[in-house]
Amino acid sequence: MNDIRTRLLAAFDLEHKEHLAAIRESLRAVEKDPAHHPDLVEIHRRAHSLKGAARAVDLPEVERLSHWLEAAFIAIQRGTVPFDAAARDVVRRALDAIEDVVAWATRGGGEVDIAEVLAELTRMGGEGGGPEPVQRRPAAAEAGTAPPAAAPRPARSVDGRESAALVRIRSAGLERLFTAAAGLLPEIENQSALVAELRELRSEWRALERSWHAMRPRLLRGGSHDATGAAGISFAGDETALRLSSFERRFRALGASLDAAHRAHDRHLWSLRRWGSGFQDEVRQLRMLPAESQFSNLGRMIRDISRAQGKEVEADIRGLETQADRVVLQRLKDPVLHIARNAVSHGVETPQERVVAGKRAAATVRFEASVVGRRLVLRVEDDGRGPNREAIARHAVERGLLGADEAESAPEERLLDLIFEPGFSTAPTANEYAGRGMGLAIVRREVTRLQGSVTLAAREGGGTVVTVEVPLSLLSQRLAFVAVQDDILAIPSNDVARVLRVPADTLFTDLAAPTIRLEEEDVPVTPLAALLGYDGAMPQGNGAPLALVILRTAGRRVALVVDALMATRDSVVTPAEEVGIDAARFLGTVLMDDGSPALVLNPAALSPRPGMALPPLVRPVDESARRRPHILVVDDSITTRTLEKSILEAHGYRVTLCVDGREAVETLGELEDVNLIISDVEMPRMDGFALLQAVKGNPMTSDLPVILVTSRASDEDRERGLDLGADAYIVKTRFDQNELLAGIRRLL
C-alpha cells in the first residue's frame, strides 16, 4: 500500500504543477493586459481536477484549498466577486500554499500554515455560493469560517523492503562505479593504438616474407662466394633442406598467428567499444537527476524571503524536469539560492514602490532550467528595478577598480561584470540575506570550478537576468588537445566552437586588437601561450598558416593561436584539487598515452572579461625574457616532471628537466644560468639527498637554492633534507602548487 501511495504521490506531483502553472499563466495575462478576459471556466475546471486528484492521494489540506479555490472562481464567474488585484492576490497565495503543502508531503520540511489563506478563500467562495463541500471538511468550514490548519503528513520514504524497484546503495560505492566507468573509454582508445602496432607488425612480416621468398632458392641451390672469390659455405644437402623447411613452417605459422591476433583484436575492440560505450552511457544516466532534486523548494524559499521583507513576489519555476549530473546540480544549489535571494532582496521593490513606478504590486522572480547542446543553462530573472549603473560605476571608482573617466565611458557589460568582484556591493546596508558583497564572488568561483560561466545583464523591460552555464556532466569529457611550445594542453570541446587554420595575413591587424571575421562577427585573436604567461616570442606574422581554436564562453568568442592542433578524444579529468594545481586556471590533468599528464585548461579563465586587453599577436623576441629565472627540475617520474614543468612555464619560468641526480650534476656543469633546483628524493643512480650533498659541497653551486619535493613525509627524512642544506621540503601527498610557487618566489 505504501508503494502504491508513493507512486500516486509522484503522479500527483506532476499533475498539480501543470494545473498551478496554467492558473498562474492566466493571472499573469490579466495583469499584463487588464482588458484580457481569462477563461474562467478552464480555471474552474483545473481547480476541480486538482481537488479530485488531492482526494485520491489522501491530501485533505490540498483538497480543502482546491475546493475553496473552485468556489472562489464560481463566485468570480457569477460576478459576485470581482477579479481584481485583491482577488488575484488571494488566488496566488492559495496556489503557493498548495505547492508548499505538496512539497512538504512529498519531501518533508517545515509545517505549512494554511489557515489565513483558507479563511480568505472561504470568504470569497462563500459569498457566491460554492460547489458541494468536501465531506471531510469540518462543520466550521461549511458555516463559512476557516477551519484550523492541519499539519500535512509527509509521505513515508520507500526502502528496499517496500519496493523491489528501489534499492539503497552507498554513495561512495556509486562514485567508485562512476570512476571505473569513466576510466573505460580512455583505455578503449588506448587499445586502438594497438591496431596500428599490429598493422605495422603485419607489414613488417610481409616484407620479411618477400625477402625469404627471394633468398630461399639461392640457399637451397648451395654455395656462395664472397667478394674475393673464395668459396662460401654450402647450404645444400638433406639436413640443411630439413632445417630450412622447419624454419619456413614456423615462419608461416608465426604469420598466421599474427593475422589471427589482428583479426581477434579487431573483433574484441569492436565489442569493447560497443559495450564499453553503452556501459558508460548507462552509468552516466545513473548520475543524471532532474533539477527538481535540488531546486524543488526554490519557489517556497523565494516566497518566504519576500514575505519576511514585506514584499509581494510570485515565484515562476520552470524546467525542473531538466536532467543533469547529480554532482553538478548539488554544487549549483547554493549559487542559485544566493542569486535568487539577491533578486528578492536587491532587485525587487516594495509593493508601494512598484505601484508608484507604474508596475503591478506583485513582482515575479523566474527560475528556468534548460539544456543547450551539452550544457546546462540556469536563468534567474526578476522584473525589479534592474542594475544601478551609476551606483556600480561610483563604487568601482571608490574601490579603485576603474578610473573616473573610465567609469563614465565603460560599456555596460564591463560594469556589470564588476559585480562579481569580491566585496563588491551597491546595497546601502547588509542583512541576513545579502549585501556583504561576497555572495556573487563565491557564485562565480563555484561556477568557474564547474567549467562554466555566469553573467549578469539588464532585463529588457526592467529587471535583471543572471545566466549560469555549466557542462551537463563532469564524469568524462571530450577534450581537444593542442600543442603550445613544448607542452600538450587540453581544452573541453564543449567550449570549442571550431578549429581552423588561416594564413596570418588574412587577419585584420589595423584594429585595437587583431581579429578574424567569422559568421559576420569580428572575433579577437590572441596567442594561447601569451594568455598562460609562457616565455618566448609570439608568431612573427610572416604569412604562415596559424592554427586557431575558436573558444566560446559566456556568450563571447576568442580565437586562440596554438602551435598545433592535436587529437580529440574522451578522457577522464583528474580534478585540480587532487593534483594541487590552480583551479582558477586549470580544471585538472589527464594522462596521455605515454603516461605523462596534460593540463586541462579552464575555458572561463581563458575568455577575456569585458574591457580586458589581450596580448598582442606579434611580439619581437624580448632579450629580457632570456634573463627570467631558470629552474632545474629533477625527477624520475615523467608525470611529475611534465606537471611541474607545465606549472612553472605557465608562470614565466624557464625549465630544464633531468631524470635523476647524476644527470642533474652533469647538466649543472654545462649550464651557467640555473637559478634554482627542484628535486625528488627517491631516484635511480643518484637520489635527491646525494644530489643535495653534491650541489652544496661544490663551491660553484653551494649558493644555489634547492627545494625537495618528495613522497617521504616522515620527520626524520624532513630533518635530514634540511640538515643537508635543502631550502624547502614539500611533501607530494600534500602538494600545493601555490606553496611551491610561493617558495620559489621567496628563494629567488
Side-chain angles (χ1 to χ4, degrees), residues 557-575:
R557 292 198 295 180
V558 61
L560 304 177
V561 181
V562 298
D563 293 337
L565 303 169
M566 313 294 283
T568 300
R569 71 178 189 184
D570 289 312
S571 301
V572 181
V573 179
T574 301

Side-chain angles (χ1 to χ4, degrees), residues 634-636 659-661 679-688:
V634 190
D635 201 300
D636 62 325
V659 298
D660 58 28
S679 176
D680 187 18
V681 170
E682 296 185 65
M683 296 180 292
R685 298 202 300 173
M686 179 183 286
D687 66 14

